[in-house]
Amino acid sequence: MWSGMLAIIKRDIVIAFRQRGDMVNPLFFFIMVIALFPLGMGPEPGTLQKIAPGVIWIAALLSTLLSVDSLFRQDFDDGALELTLMSPQPLFVLAFGKVLAHWLVTALPLICVAPVLGVMMFMDVNTIKVTLYSLLLGTPVLSMISAIGAALTVGLHKGGVLVAVIALPLYIPVLIFGTSAVEAAAMGHPFAGQLAYLAAFLILAFTFAPFAIATGLRISVNG
């Protein structure tokens, strides 16, 4: 069972490195959105420190949404998705592997560059650490939620807007607690509670989302 998931992860990572545009575009979008705020609002450190948590989290959320439409699209177009559905391996395990590979090639690079962007937004070292913790806990949840929407709309020619409609309301709790944790760290307040909520969301997403994604794929492909 796990060999099938690892094969899916390896295959999708190899494809992502061959088609670098799908991997680079979300990272470039994330950097550009955050880099434009100091230019638009001025270089005042106090102002940038105040808005930095919300800016980083909203940029991460939009970058995830930007990249998710392609999660199952290519497999659907070339017939690989139908073969995956007929595989003897449990579909929810294979779906989990695809989402994990997608997170590794799209969200993990964002987390790696976040400290540099945090310095640009005049965040202190402790706040940058909490930002990394919150993104590590929160972005896999965003990927899982987005994958549910992508699975339900993969059979539609223009499903990107529908993915946003389905996923955006579910993003809100993650956005609230992720931003709140970073803001609390910036003000010197306790932030463990917000991170605990993000960890709980992550456990719930890992437990239930693969089944929802598998069901969505069966509905989309089999009608």
Side-chain angles (χ1 to χ4, degrees):
M1 180 171 73
W2 300 113
S3 61
M5 187 184 77
L6 292 175
I8 287 278
I9 293 172
K10 183 179 178 181
R11 168 185 171 270
D12 282 11
I13 290 176
V14 170
I15 291 174
F17 275 94
R18 288 177 179 170
Q19 301 173 350
R20 293 184 178 84
D22 292 341
M23 187 170 61
V24 172
N25 287 344
L27 177 62
F28 184 72
F29 179 84
F30 180 72
I31 294 172
M32 287 304 298
V33 168
I34 297 175
L36 287 175
F37 271 86
L39 298 177
M41 301 193 68
E44 174 59 36
T47 302
L48 294 177
Q49 283 178 340
K50 188 175 181 180
I51 65 171
V55 170
I56 290 176
W57 259 97
I58 289 173
L61 186 153
L62 294 177
S63 297
T64 301
L65 199 56
L66 178 69
S67 63
V68 77
D69 188 48
S70 62
L71 179 57
F72 301 112
R73 179 70 57 191
Q74 186 173 347
D75 285 355
F76 180 78
D77 291 340
D78 63 16
L81 189 56
E82 290 188 32
L83 295 177
T84 303
L85 264 61
M86 292 187 290
S87 168
Q89 302 283 344
L91 183 56
F92 72 92
V93 175
L94 302 180
F96 181 81
K98 281 197 72 67
V99 179
L100 184 57
H102 180 263
W103 180 82
L104 288 171
V105 299
T106 58
L108 191 59
L110 310 186
I111 298 171
C112 293
V113 301
V116 178
L117 298 171
V119 172
M120 189 178 69
M121 299 292 282
F122 297 100
M123 299 169 75
D124 58 56
V125 174
N126 185 54
T127 307
I128 290 174
K129 285 182 181 177
V130 177
T131 302
L132 293 179
Y133 297 153
S134 67
L135 289 174
L136 282 170
L137 291 170
T139 51
V141 183
L142 299 181
S143 293
M144 285 289 177
I145 293 172
S146 302
I148 296 173
L152 288 170
T153 60
V154 69
L156 305 176
H157 290 297
K158 295 183 179 179
V161 176
L162 280 178
V163 174
V165 172
I166 294 169
L168 279 176
L170 300 176
Y171 284 162
I172 293 174
V174 181
L175 179 65
I176 290 173
F177 285 104
T179 305
S180 176
V182 182
E183 288 178 342
M187 293 186 290
H189 296 163
F191 52 82
Q194 292 91 329
L195 293 181
Y197 272 105
L198 289 176
F201 291 151
L202 181 61
I203 293 171
L204 286 174
F206 279 2
T207 304
F208 296 108
F211 296 98
I213 296 166
T215 303
L217 290 174
R218 291 194 188 283
I219 292 171
S220 295
V221 175
N222 297 327

